[in-house]
Amino acid sequence: MIGGLFIYNHKGEVLISRVYRDDIGRNAVDAFRVNVIHARQQVRSPVTNIARTSFFHVKRSNIWLAAVTKQNVNAAMVFEFLYKMCDVMAAYFGKISEENIKNNFVLIYELLDEILDFGYPQNSETGALKTFITQQGIKSQHQTKEEQSQITSQVTGQIGWRREGIKYRRNELFLDVLESVNLLMSPQGQVLSAHVSGRVVMKSYLSGMPECKFGMNDKIVIEKQGKGIADETSKSGKQSIAIDDCTFHQCVRLSKFDSERSISFIPPDGEFELMRYRTTKDIILPFRVIPLVREVGRTKLEVKVVIKSNFKPSLLAQKIEVRIPTPLNTSGVQVICMKGKAKYKASENAIVWKIKRMAGMKESQISAEIELLPTNDKKKWARPPISMNFEVPFAPSGLKVRYLKVFEPKLNYSDHDVIKWVRYIGRSGIYETRC
Amino acid sequence: MPAVSKGDGMRGLAVFISDIRNCKSKEAEIKRINKELANIRSKFKGDKALDGYSKKKYVCKLLFIFLLGHDIDFGHMEAVNLLSSNRYTEKQIGYLFISVLVNSNSELIRLINNAIKNDLASRNPTFMGLALHCIASVGSREMAEAFAGEIPKVLVAGDTMDSVKQSAALCLLRLYRTSPDLVPMGDWTSRVVHLLNDQHLGVVTAATSLITTLAQKNPEEFKTSVSLAVSRLSRIVTSASTDLQDYTYYFVPAPWLSVKLLRLLQCYPPPEDPAVRGRLTECLETILNKAQEPPKSKKVQHSNAKNAVLFEAISLIIHHDSEPNLLVRACNQLGQFLQHRETNLRYLALESMCTLASSEFSHEAVKTHIETVINALKTERDVSVRQRAVDLLYAMCDRSNAPQIVAEMLSYLETADYSIREEIVLKVAILAEKYAVDYTWYVDTILNLIRIAGDYVSEEVWYRVIQIVINRDDVQGYAAKTVFEALQAPACHENLVKVGGYILGEFGNLIAGDPRSSPLIQFNLLHSKFHLCSVPTRALLLSTYIKFVNLFPEVKPTIQDVLRSDSQLRNADVELQQRAVEYLRLSTVASTDILATVLEEMPPFPERESSILAKLKKKKGPSTVTDLEDTKRERSVDVNGGPEPAPASTSAVSTPSPSADLLGLGAAPPAPAGPPPSSSGGGLLVDVFSDSASVVAPLAPGSEDNFARFVCKNNGVLFENQLLQIGLKSEFRQNLGRMFIFYGNKTSTQFLNFTPTLICSDDLQPNILGFITKPVDPTVEGGAQVQQVVNIECVSDFTEAPVLNIQFRYGGTFQNVSVQLPITLNKFFQPTEMASQDFFQRWKQLSNPQQEVQNIFKAKHPMDTEVTKAKIIGFGSALLEEVDPNPANFVGAGIIHTKTTQIGCLLRLEPNLQAQMYRLTLRTSKEAVSQRLCELLSAQF
C-alpha cells in the first residue's frame, strides 16, 4: 500500500508531501530527489528502489509525482492511482504546473486525504469528489443538513459515482472513441510492430438513474450473434475487431461482461472514461512513410521522404508533422517540399515538416540536402527513425459503435428521446519509420 | 588575466551563458546548446574566413559547452589556428581549449607541437609562459616526448625571465612525474641546483619543488643542493620579517619556500660537513626558538604558516635523528601543542610524536607526556585525534610503562569508537605480548580484552594467546585457572569459550586437583556454553572433550554420553557429525596408551612472525609506526652505502630478515643507549631489532623443543624448515667433544653466501670453547648436503648453550636462522659404577645444603620405567641397580669433566605413580652444577 506521496518541482523542491504510513521517514523525500531527480544519468525506469523503499513516479511537464512504499504493492495499481491523481488535479485547477500546485496546495491536501486512506486508494471520481471538496471554501455553509447527508449516503452507497435526482431538460450523451496508433516500420515498408491503444470517453447529461448498454463490433459478440444468421458471417468477419485486452470504468458491471460480454452500466454524470482497450491485429495504418537517405561523401547527406495517406479520399487528416532527424554535425540544411512547410530546427537536431490538412489516398514528398562538418569522431551516425504526428477522423483499429441504449424505467423518457453523438479520432502515438 | 575583461569582452558568449543560466529545465538547456552548436558548425563550415575575434568567441563557447558536460568533437582546428595569433587573448583561449580538450589526432598534435615550439622559441615571456602552462596541464606522454629535452634548456638559460623559469621548473616537474624515463638527466642538473641561489624567490620555490622530486630518484646527482638549501634556509630564517617583502606571509618569511627546503633536506642524511651541519642545526634551533616567541599577529594565517614551518622542521629533525638536543626540544614543543586549542595542531603533534617515539634519543622525552596523551584519549572529542593518541601510546610503550598503557587502552576500549576498536584490540594484544614480563599478566590482559571487546578480537589474537600458553610451561597452570574462572561468568564471548576450550583441553589437568575445578565441573562448565556457540567453536569444544577423555578417565562416560546424543551424532553440520562419530569411536575402541599418544599434549608452536603484527600492518597501510622502523632500516642501509647489509663476518652483528619475528618472545626493549648510528656499520639495525646488545636474531622456530630432545641423545635432526635441514652427530669424551653438523638444502635452488657462525654469549665465552674447523662452501646446491665439524672443549661448568647462526640467500631473499646447539653440561658426564655402600657414603659427604638440589614436578610423559632408565643413561650418568632400598627409584652417579676441575655428581629419581609426580634429588660438589643438571634432567620426564 502506498506509504506516502510527494510532489516535486523540476528543481527537486518538495511542493506537496503527504505521508500515510509510519514506515516512510522524512529522508525518503531526499532519497528520491538525490537518486532520481538529480541523478547523474537520467533515470528512465518509473520505479526506483532505494534502500528497500520503492518509488513510483510520473512526470507531468516539470512536475514530479512520486508515490513511496516499503511494501510489495501492485505497481500497476500505484500508477493507475497516480494517473487518476493527475486527472483529478487537472479537473480541479487545469494544467499541472508548479504555480497551480502552489496556489492550490490546501485543496491538494484535502484531495489527498479523501482519495487515499492509510495508503489505500478510495473514490477518485472527479464528479463525486467535486460535490464535497470544492474550491470555494464558503460553500459548505450553504449546504443544508439534508444535502450533506445525501452526499454521505451517495459516497458511501453502492453507486458512489452518481447522485440521485439529476434532472435535464434535454437528455444528451456524447461518445468519443479516441485511439492512438503506434508503429515501427522498417525502411522497406515492413511492419515491425504496431498496436492501437484506444479509449471510449463518454459525456452524459441524463436524468435520473439511467441504465445504459453499450455495443461495439467486438469479434466475440458478433460471432456469437452471427451463428444464427449464416449469410452475415462473411460481412461481419470483416467488420468485427479482435480486442486484445480492455479495462472498464468502475460503473460497468463486470459480472455481466464476463458472462454475456455485454457492457451495461449506470453512468456518472458528466465526462468519464468508459473503457480502455488495445488491439494489435488488422490495424489500418493511416500513413506510409517512404524514406530515402543517401550519403554523398563525408560532408553531404541527401534525404528524400515520401508520405502516402491510406484512407478514404473523403476523409481529411489534420495536424500532420514529419520529423526527420539530422546528424549531430549538421552545419547547414536546404529543404524543398511540395506541400506544407518544412524547417530545420537546430535545437532539436531535426527537420520538421508540417502539413495542415491532407485528404486520403494522396501522396506528398520532401527532399533535403544536409551539409556536414567533418569531425574527428569515428562514430557513425546512428540514423534515428523518422517520426510522424497526425490526427485522422476514424478509428484505426476499425472499432465501430453499434449502439448505446439508455433505459430509465422510473422517468418518462425512452431511448429514442436521448440525443446521441458519436465521434472517432485517431491520433499518432509513436509512429516511426526507420531510415 | 580574466578571459572576459571589459574592453575585450565577448558579448555573444556572455549572452549565451546567461541564456543557459536562465533555462528552466534540462531539456531547455539541451535545446539551447543544440542550437548554438548548429550555429557554430555553420560558422566554421562557412566559406568566408572568420576573424580572430569570432574564432575566439566560438571556441570559447565550445569550451563552455564542453565544461557543461556535452561532447565536443570539432573546433580543434580553429583552436590550433588561434595558437598562431599574436594577440594574447586569442592565444590564451587557444591554449585553454587545447589543454582542456586534448585530442590524440596525430595531425593536430603535430600542429599543436609546432605552435608550442614556436612560442617556446619566441622571446616573449608571456607566450613562453602560455606554452609551458599548456605542456604542463596536458602533461601527457606525447608532450613529454616532444618537450622533455627542450624545457631544461629554457630553465637554465641565462637570459630567461624569472617568471618563465618558474613556469619551466614546474612544467618540468609535471613531465617528470608523468614520465620520469623521458626526462633526460644531463649537465643541466648541476645548473638547476644553482637556481636555489637565485635572486627571485619565486624561482627558488619552483626550483625547490623540482629538485626535491628529482633528488628522491637520483640522490647522488643533487647532493650539492644540501649545502645550498641550508644556506638559503638560514638566510630566510634569520631575515627580518620585512626583508622578503612579497614573500612574507603574515609576518612569516617565505613559509612555502621554507617548508619546501626542509622537505628537500629530508631526502638526505644529515650533512657531513660540520660547517653546514652547524648552520642547519642553528636554523632548526631558530625555528624552534621562533615557535616560543609570542605571535606577531592574532590572525590564524600567521600561526598556520609558522606551524607549517615548525612541523616540517620537526620532521627533518626526526628524519636526521642525530641531534639529541634538537629531538628533545622538538618533543617539548610538540608537548605544548598536545594541549592546544586547535584540533588540527593536537592531531599533528600526536602524529609527529609517534615518529619521535621511535627515535632512541627522544623516546624518553616522549614518555614524559604520557599523562597528557592518556588524558587526550579520554577527553578528546575528535575521533581521529583519539586514534592518533592511541597510535602514540602504542609507539611510546616500553617495558617500563607497558602495564599502565595497556591498562589505559583497555579502559578506553570500552568507550572507543567502533571504527578503531579492532585496531586497538590488535595493539593491546601486541603490546601485552611484546612487553610481558610476567606471562600471567599477559594472560590476564588478553582475557580482559576478549571480555571487553570480544567482537573485535580477531582470530589471530586468540590464536596467539594459545600459542604463547602452549610454548610457556610456567604460565599454563595459571592460564587454565584464569580461563576457568572467566568462563564462570554467566555470559561470555565466544572467543573466550574458544580460548577456554583449548586451554582446558590441554592443561585442564593442572587445575584438576582443586575440588572446585574438578574434571566434571570443568566439563560441565564448557558444555553449558556449547549450545550457544557457532559451529567452528563447537567443533573445537568436541576436540576438547576428547582431550578430557584422555586427561580424566573418570569423566569418560559422561563425555561419551554427550558424543552419543543425537544432537551430535546426527548433527546437520558434517564437520560436527564427523568429529562426534570419530571421537566416540576413538574413546570406546582405543586403549589408554593409544589414546594418550593420539591425544598427546600439543607440541610447542614454531615461532613465526607474529600474526597479529602482520595483521596490524595490513590494516594500517604503509604509514604506521611499525613500518616506520622498516623504512628507517632501509634508510640506514642507504646511508651505509650498500644495497643491503652484507652478511657480517664478525659473529656479533647480523641483520634479521624482514620475515624474522619482530616480536620474538624473548624480545627485550630496545637498548636505551646504544652506540650512535653512524659509529658502526649496522649498529642502528641491531639497536632497533636485536633482542639484546650481543645476540642475534631470535631463535629459530622449534629450536627450544629440539634442544630439549638432545639433552639425552647425541644424534638427530636439530632444525628443519621448508628450506633447510640441520642434522647433528656428536661425540664427547671427558672434557672434549666433536660435533658433525649436516646442512641439507631441501629446495631445488642453490643457497648463496651460505655462512654458519658459532656464537657464544659473553657469559659462555670463558667457560666453553667452540670453534669451527673449516668454513663450508658458500654455495649449497639444491638438494645437496654439506658437512661441518665443530670441536668443543669444556673449560668449566656452564649453563647457556652456544648459538649457531646461519645466513644465506635463497632466491632473492636473505635468510637468517639461529638455533641453539645442544651442547649441555651433561654431555661431559662420565658414568661411574659404584656399589650401594659407596654411593651412600658419597651421598652423605655431599650433605652441604648448597650442594643438594631437589625438584618435585609433575610427569609430562607417561611414567614408563624402561624409558626413564634409557633417559638417565642417555643423560650420561651411570644407572646404579640395587642401590636404593626402594626398587622403583632410580639412582645414578657420574663425573663431569671440565678442563679445570672434575665434578662428581649423584642423582636420585623417585617416581610417584599415583600422583604422576617425580622427585629428583641431585648432589654435586658444585652448587651451579647441581642446579643446571637438575633443570636439564627434570625437563626430560
Side-chain angles (χ1 to χ4, degrees):
Chain A
M1 299 308 102
I2 297 170
L5 196 128
F6 307 124
I7 301 179
Y8 300 84
N9 66 5
H10 70 284
K11 289 183 205 149
E13 293 163 345
V14 187
L15 304 177
I16 300 287
S17 156
R18 179 74 172 87
V19 173
Y20 292 95
R21 288 179 176 236
D22 291 339
D23 56 358
I24 302 300
R26 290 204 64 83
N27 50 357
V29 191
D30 300 323
F32 182 77
R33 175 177 50 235
V34 171
N35 291 296
V36 180
I37 302 181
H38 290 165
R40 283 276 167 72
Q41 255 124 30
Q42 200 191 354
V43 175
R44 299 181 68 179
S45 155
V47 185
T48 318
N49 262 307
I50 306 161
R52 312 189 115 251
T53 311
S54 308
F55 293 83
F56 305 80
H57 76 263
V58 296
K59 217 181 157 196
R60 284 284 178 275
S61 66
N62 274 331
I63 298 298
W64 301 72
L65 269 91
V68 196
T69 181
K70 282 221 160 170
Q71 274 145 322
N72 185 13
V73 295
N74 181 349
M77 185 274 284
V78 176
F79 283 111
E80 185 62 40
F81 169 76
L82 286 176
Y83 292 140
K84 209 79 205 179
M85 176 78 202
C86 291
D87 291 347
V88 170
M89 287 199 290
Y92 268 94
F93 50 75
K95 194 171 166 265
I96 298 177
S97 67
E98 185 176 350
E99 206 184 329
N100 277 344
I101 287 179
K102 279 182 177 168
N103 291 340
N104 292 291
F105 75 93
V106 179
L107 172 76
I108 294 172
Y109 279 116
E110 256 184 282
L111 285 171
L112 283 175
D113 278 344
E114 198 54 49
I115 59 181
L116 265 185
D117 186 8
F118 195 48
Y120 294 96
Q122 307 293 310
N123 192 352
S124 57
E125 193 57 52
T126 319
L129 285 171
K130 275 193 170 165
T131 58
F132 53 92
I133 297 178
T134 56
Q135 274 156 299
Q136 290 79 31
I138 2 145
K139 201 185 168 188
S140 58
Q141 292 177 340
H142 296 291
Q143 277 180 333
T144 58
K145 270 261 163 62
E146 266 169 50
E147 276 174 322
Q148 280 177 359
S149 67
Q150 203 186 344
I151 288 170
T152 314
S153 70
Q154 181 218 322
V155 168
T156 54
Q158 209 178 13
I159 304 167
W161 55 88
R162 189 180 179 93
R163 68 190 165 89
E164 281 185 59
I166 299 171
K167 275 217 170 71
Y168 287 105
R169 207 150 53 81
R170 246 154 71 105
N171 289 306
E172 216 170 358
L173 69 84
F174 301 86
L175 210 54
D176 284 355
V177 177
L178 307 171
E179 294 193 340
S180 71
V181 212
N182 298 287
L183 168 78
L184 182 64
M185 196 178 248
S186 77
Q188 289 76 33
Q190 198 181 355
V191 177
L192 300 174
S193 85
H195 73 270
V196 171
S197 56
R199 312 189 294 145
V200 178
V201 177
M202 184 170 160
K203 202 185 246 179
S204 67
Y205 300 105
L206 300 171
S207 313
M209 291 295 247
E211 175 82 37
C212 300
K213 205 172 172 197
F214 174 67
M216 56 179 179
N217 55 345
D218 182 2
K219 200 172 184 177
I220 299 171
V221 181
I222 300 286
E223 273 173 8
K224 211 186 264 173
Q225 292 171 347
K227 271 176 195 164
I229 315 149
D231 58 322
E232 263 191 9
T233 44
S234 57
K235 228 181 174 183
S236 65
K238 212 174 186 184
Q239 282 176 347
S240 63
I241 61 161
I243 288 175
D244 284 14
D245 42 42
C246 54
T247 54
F248 293 102
H249 187 263
Q250 59 168 331
C251 63
V252 176
R253 292 191 186 89
L254 291 178
S255 54
K256 232 167 184 179
F257 179 75
D258 285 343
S259 55
E260 300 164 26
R261 220 175 159 84
S262 72
I263 302 165
S264 67
F265 54 96
I266 297 171
D269 198 32
E271 189 174 314
F272 71 103
E273 187 185 282
L274 178 63
M275 74 178 284
R276 240 186 262 174
Y277 59 91
R278 198 172 67 93
T279 67
T280 50
K281 285 198 191 80
D282 300 324
I283 294 165
I284 307 157
L285 296 173
F287 284 96
R288 168 94 207 278
V289 178
I290 304 155
L292 199 79
V293 180
R294 203 158 68 91
E295 284 177 57
V296 189
R298 284 192 64 204
T299 57
K300 210 168 158 189
L301 201 67
E302 280 179 3
V303 181
K304 203 168 120 184
V305 177
V306 180
I307 56 169
K308 281 183 182 166
S309 57
N310 179 29
F311 46 87
K312 271 188 251 165
S314 57
L315 298 176
L316 269 182
Q318 280 182 309
K319 299 177 190 166
I320 300 152
E321 185 184 285
V322 183
R323 181 177 289 263
I324 305 159
T326 56
L328 290 175
N329 55 345
T330 304
S331 61
V333 177
Q334 274 93 46
V335 207
I336 310 159
C337 59
M338 305 291 165
K339 216 175 165 197
K341 279 179 191 165
K343 206 179 161 191
Y344 167 57
K345 286 203 170 165
S347 59
E348 289 152 45
N349 280 322
I351 299 169
V352 180
W353 176 26
K354 282 182 179 166
I355 304 169
K356 275 195 181 139
R357 252 175 242 102
M358 190 168 173
M361 305 317 266
K362 289 257 165 58
E363 78 173 61
S364 183
Q365 86 165 29
I366 181 175
S367 57
E369 240 172 56
I370 301 171
E371 278 178 72
L372 303 173
L373 189 76
T375 63
N376 318 311
D377 227 0
K378 300 285 184 297
K379 260 187 285 170
K380 220 170 164 269
W381 181 45
R383 290 204 186 190
I386 295 171
S387 61
M388 200 179 167
N389 290 320
F390 54 81
E391 205 178 292
V392 288
F394 63 92
S397 67
L399 181 128
K400 292 254 159 45
V401 178
R402 286 171 61 219
Y403 56 82
L404 194 130
K405 291 175 191 152
V406 181
F407 310 99
E408 172 48 287
K410 286 185 192 153
L411 294 174
N412 56 351
Y413 70 91
S414 67
D415 187 34
H416 303 289
D417 301 332
V418 180
I419 307 161
K420 301 167 189 168
W421 305 85
V422 180
R423 175 167 73 159
Y424 299 94
I425 300 174
R427 291 202 182 94
S428 59
I430 298 168
Y431 200 86
E432 292 178 333
T433 310
R434 291 191 180 151
C435 60
Chain B
M1 218 171 288
V4 187
S5 64
K6 248 212 167 121
D8 178 60
M10 290 174 280
R11 216 180 111 69
L13 178 67
V15 169
F16 173 59
I17 292 175
S18 76
D19 275 2
I20 295 274
R21 297 230 163 112
N22 289 335
C23 281
K24 277 273 189 292
S25 66
K26 202 163 186 178
E27 290 75 24
E29 186 183 309
I30 290 171
K31 275 188 177 170
R32 180 70 184 88
I33 286 170
N34 279 337
K35 196 175 152 199
E36 194 60 43
L37 282 176
N39 177 35
I40 298 172
R41 279 196 298 260
S42 68
K43 285 288 190 315
F44 283 173
K45 175 81 180 182
D47 299 327
K48 67 174 192 316
L50 291 170
D51 58 352
Y53 167 78
S54 11
K55 230 183 247 175
K56 178 181 77 176
K57 184 175 77 183
Y58 292 131
V59 167
C60 235
K61 280 183 183 173
L62 283 181
L63 200 52
F64 183 74
I65 292 170
F66 176 76
L67 294 178
L68 285 177
H70 300 264
D71 275 342
I72 298 294
D73 52 4
F74 65 100
H76 297 85
M77 205 56 208
E78 283 70 20
V80 172
N81 284 344
L82 282 178
L83 293 186
S84 52
S85 159
N86 269 329
R87 274 184 209 210
Y88 172 74
T89 50
E90 288 168 20
K91 208 184 250 300
Q92 184 214 21
I93 295 293
Y95 272 123
L96 195 60
F97 187 89
I98 298 294
S99 39
V100 173
L101 281 124
V102 212
N103 195 302
S104 53
N105 184 327
S106 59
E107 204 172 323
L108 271 177
I109 288 280
R110 208 150 42 80
L111 287 172
I112 294 168
N113 284 357
N114 227 350
I116 293 177
K117 247 180 206 137
N118 285 341
D119 279 340
L120 279 183
S122 77
R123 293 266 140 247
N124 186 334
T126 356
F127 291 177
M128 287 172 88
L130 279 177
L132 287 167
H133 289 174
C134 178
I135 298 170
S137 48
V138 175
S140 65
R141 240 190 125 68
E142 290 80 20
M143 281 286 177
E145 266 164 18
F147 299 107
E150 201 103 339
I151 295 166
K153 285 180 210 152
V154 176
L155 179 58
V156 295
D159 55 348
T160 316
M161 297 270 290
D162 286 337
S163 60
V164 178
K165 271 190 195 165
Q166 239 172 306
S167 302
L170 293 176
C171 177
L172 190 57
L173 174 62
R174 165 70 206 248
L175 293 187
Y176 185 77
R177 279 186 184 146
T178 45
S179 26
D181 51 317
L182 290 179
V183 178
M185 290 293 147
D187 53 348
W188 59 272
T189 50
S190 57
R191 298 177 67 183
V192 164
V193 171
H194 284 280
L195 285 180
L196 288 177
N197 265 337
D198 202 282
Q199 296 286 317
H200 193 265
L201 273 188
V203 177
V204 183
T205 315
T208 315
S209 299
L210 175 65
I211 293 169
T212 309
T213 311
L214 292 174
Q216 277 159 359
K217 280 275 166 61
N218 328 295
E220 280 306 307
E221 283 199 62
F222 295 91
K223 223 167 183 177
T224 44
S225 63
V226 173
S227 60
L228 288 176
V230 170
S231 65
R232 173 56 88 173
L233 182 65
S234 89
R235 262 182 284 156
I236 294 171
V237 169
T238 51
S239 69
S241 56
T242 47
D243 287 359
L244 299 165
Q245 290 165 351
D246 286 354
Y247 288 86
T248 301
Y249 178 79
Y250 288 89
F251 305 104
V252 182
W256 281 276
L257 180 53
S258 313
V259 165
K260 282 182 176 174
L261 287 170
L262 288 164
R263 286 237 173 101
L264 171 60
L265 290 173
Q266 282 176 45
C267 302
Y268 290 98
E272 276 147 29
D273 182 1
V276 178
R277 194 172 176 149
R279 210 162 170 201
L280 177 59
T281 312
E282 208 173 282
C283 282
L284 294 172
E285 266 168 3
T286 320
I287 293 172
L288 287 173
N289 285 342
K290 275 193 180 167
Q292 295 294 339
E293 287 170 12
K296 289 191 179 117
S297 158
K298 284 220 168 86
K299 288 260 171 61
V300 68
Q301 289 95 329
H302 171 69
S303 58
N304 277 350
K306 211 162 95 173
N307 290 332
V309 177
L310 177 64
F311 273 107
E312 210 54 54
I314 289 175
S315 31
L316 179 64
I317 292 169
I318 295 169
H319 167 75
H320 282 172
D321 197 16
S322 59
E323 300 274 349
N325 177 29
L326 282 178
L327 279 164
V328 172
R329 280 197 64 187
C331 181
N332 293 341
Q333 184 62 49
L334 290 177
Q336 290 178 14
F337 286 144
L338 283 184
Q339 279 157 315
H340 202 275
R341 228 162 11 90
E342 277 275 311
T343 314
N344 289 337
L345 272 184
R346 290 198 301 271
Y347 181 94
L348 286 170
L350 287 167
E351 201 180 25
S352 306
M353 270 223 184
C354 268
T355 45
L356 269 180
S358 54
S359 160
E360 54 187 292
F361 301 113
S362 51
H363 188 78
E364 290 304 313
V366 172
K367 270 165 67 182
T368 55
H369 299 290
I370 185 166
E371 290 305 327
T372 326
V373 180
I374 288 172
N375 209 26
L377 195 60
K378 284 177 185 156
T379 54
E380 184 63 53
R381 281 209 313 276
D382 191 320
V383 63
S384 59
V385 180
R386 285 202 301 269
Q387 161 118 47
R388 288 294 138 233
V390 172
D391 283 349
L392 178 55
L393 278 182
Y394 176 72
M396 67 161 68
C397 189
D398 63 16
R399 187 149 290 181
S400 66
N401 54 16
Q404 185 194 2
I405 285 177
V406 168
E408 286 301 339
M409 278 182 156
L410 271 180
S411 68
Y412 171 59
L413 191 57
E414 294 187 53
T415 52
D417 198 85
Y418 293 101
S419 55
I420 59 172
R421 277 197 183 181
E422 191 181 354
E423 208 185 304
I424 297 180
V425 166
L426 287 174
K427 284 184 165 154
V428 170
I430 290 171
L431 290 179
E433 181 188 334
K434 193 170 171 185
Y435 298 116
V437 188
D438 163 11
Y439 278 91
T440 55
W441 173 73
Y442 172 74
V443 170
D444 280 344
T445 307
I446 299 292
L447 288 183
N448 241 338
L449 197 63
I450 295 175
R451 185 178 58 74
I452 294 170
D455 287 339
Y456 298 90
V457 172
S458 54
E459 303 262 280
E460 286 85 348
V461 173
W462 74 263
Y463 287 173
R464 194 76 193 137
V465 190
I466 286 174
Q467 282 179 13
I468 285 173
V469 169
I470 288 191
N471 290 6
R472 302 235 128 211
D473 302 353
D474 48 342
V475 78
Q476 288 163 356
Y478 179 78
K481 187 161 156 279
T482 322
V483 289
F484 178 75
E485 276 160 13
L487 279 175
Q488 275 168 332
C492 49
H493 195 270
E494 196 167 331
N495 278 339
L496 187 65
V497 178
K498 287 181 189 164
V499 175
Y502 201 105
I503 289 184
L504 289 181
E506 294 292 331
F507 311 113
N509 56 340
L510 299 181
I511 56 166
D514 190 334
R516 280 166 299 168
S517 54
S518 73
L520 195 62
I521 294 177
Q522 284 185 33
F523 171 73
N524 285 338
L525 181 62
L526 281 178
H527 199 59
S528 67
K529 316 282 182 199
F530 187 86
H531 300 281
L532 305 171
C533 294
S534 63
V535 169
T537 314
R538 287 187 189 194
L540 190 150
L541 284 179
L542 286 182
S543 299
T544 304
Y545 296 168
I546 191 71
K547 289 236 167 193
F548 275 175
V549 169
N550 176 38
L551 289 177
F552 319 117
E554 63 266 38
V555 294
K556 187 170 167 180
T558 325
I559 289 172
Q560 280 177 335
D561 282 347
V562 169
L563 290 176
R564 203 175 287 130
S565 70
D566 274 357
S567 61
Q568 311 299 352
L569 271 191
R570 298 192 184 164
N571 197 298
D573 188 88
V574 72
E575 173 72 28
L576 289 183
Q577 196 186 65
Q578 186 175 0
R579 282 192 191 216
V581 171
E582 287 178 1
Y583 289 161
L584 182 62
R585 202 70 199 134
L586 184 67
S587 68
T588 45
V589 170
S591 70
T592 35
D593 285 353
I594 294 174
L595 262 187
T597 325
V598 172
L599 302 170
E600 201 186 356
E601 188 178 308
M602 289 301 250
F605 285 88
E607 280 306 327
R608 283 187 299 267
E609 178 181 18
S610 167
S611 48
I612 341 179
L613 195 62
K615 173 148 184 174
L616 184 70
K617 274 188 192 168
K618 199 167 72 191
K619 197 169 156 60
K620 288 213 69 182
S623 65
T624 56
V625 183
T626 41
D627 278 9
L628 216 123
E629 294 174 2
D630 283 339
T631 48
K632 191 169 240 169
R633 188 184 50 201
E634 276 161 29
R635 277 183 191 165
S636 67
V637 166
D638 280 352
V639 175
N640 294 334
E644 67 171 52
S649 51
T650 55
S651 60
V653 175
S654 80
T655 320
S657 69
S659 64
D661 190 354
L662 295 184
L663 293 179
L665 278 179
S678 52
S679 66
S680 75
L684 181 66
L685 315 180
V686 173
D687 287 340
V688 175
F689 284 96
S690 65
D691 306 353
S692 65
S694 62
V695 183
V696 203
L699 287 175
S703 73
E704 195 99 35
D705 171 46
N706 282 341
F707 182 78
R709 284 199 287 114
F710 275 93
V711 170
C712 290
K713 62 181 191 172
N714 286 333
N715 308 331
V717 174
L718 176 64
F719 170 83
E720 188 162 10
N721 66 7
Q722 294 98 315
L723 307 174
L724 181 71
Q725 187 188 50
I726 303 175
L728 276 191
K729 208 170 158 183
S730 46
E731 50 195 46
F732 294 89
R733 189 166 301 135
Q734 299 203 327
N735 68 330
L736 296 176
R738 176 176 294 171
M739 194 173 256
F740 297 90
I741 307 175
F742 301 93
Y743 305 101
N745 182 347
K746 288 170 70 180
T747 64
S748 52
T749 42
Q750 59 183 20
F751 296 155
L752 296 172
N753 298 351
F754 189 84
T755 40
T757 42
L758 195 61
I759 300 160
C760 296
S761 63
D762 294 340
D763 305 341
L764 198 55
Q765 201 70 38
N767 302 331
I768 189 157
L769 292 176
F771 43 89
I772 292 170
T773 46
K774 66 171 173 44
V776 289
D777 191 18
T779 315
V780 181
E781 293 299 331
Q785 198 179 54
V786 292
Q787 183 191 345
Q788 195 174 35
V789 183
V790 179
N791 288 335
I792 305 138
E793 184 179 5
C794 177
V795 181
S796 67
D797 62 288
F798 61 96
T799 49
E800 280 182 68
V803 172
L804 181 69
N805 177 242
I806 298 137
Q807 297 175 332
F808 58 93
R809 291 186 67 84
Y810 164 68
T813 54
F814 183 70
Q815 305 285 335
N816 190 343
V817 174
S818 286
V819 285
Q820 271 191 312
L821 275 185
I823 300 173
T824 48
L825 192 53
N826 64 303
K827 298 287 180 199
F828 305 96
F829 233 131
Q830 287 294 99
T832 327
E833 293 291 339
M834 58 179 81
S836 171
Q837 257 180 339
D838 288 349
F839 182 84
F840 283 108
Q841 194 183 350
R842 283 169 202 242
W843 185 262
K844 279 178 192 129
Q845 279 168 5
L846 299 170
S847 57
N848 194 335
Q850 279 105 41
Q851 287 168 336
E852 186 192 270
V853 175
Q854 194 171 61
N855 189 15
I856 299 169
F857 54 92
K858 205 161 172 61
K860 273 176 276 175
H861 304 286
M863 297 172 83
D864 188 327
T865 320
E866 288 309 311
V867 174
T868 313
K869 276 182 184 167
K871 277 184 178 166
I872 290 176
I873 292 169
F875 190 66
S877 72
L879 186 69
L880 305 179
E881 306 275 353
E882 294 167 15
V883 170
D884 203 288
N886 182 351
N889 290 355
F890 306 93
V891 171
I895 299 167
I896 288 179
H897 291 264
T898 67
K899 196 179 175 187
T900 49
T901 51
Q902 296 192 350
I903 303 155
C905 86
L906 303 173
L907 66 90
R908 190 176 186 197
L909 181 71
E910 295 156 278
N912 180 348
L913 283 168
Q914 279 77 44
Q916 297 272 310
M917 304 280 266
Y918 285 109
R919 182 164 72 192
L920 176 68
T921 318
L922 265 160
R923 286 189 179 186
T924 70
S925 49
K926 201 168 176 187
E927 182 193 349
V929 175
S930 311
Q931 198 74 46
R932 178 63 183 158
L933 287 180
C934 182
E935 272 171 35
L936 288 170
L937 194 55
S938 350
Q940 296 303 313
F941 299 106

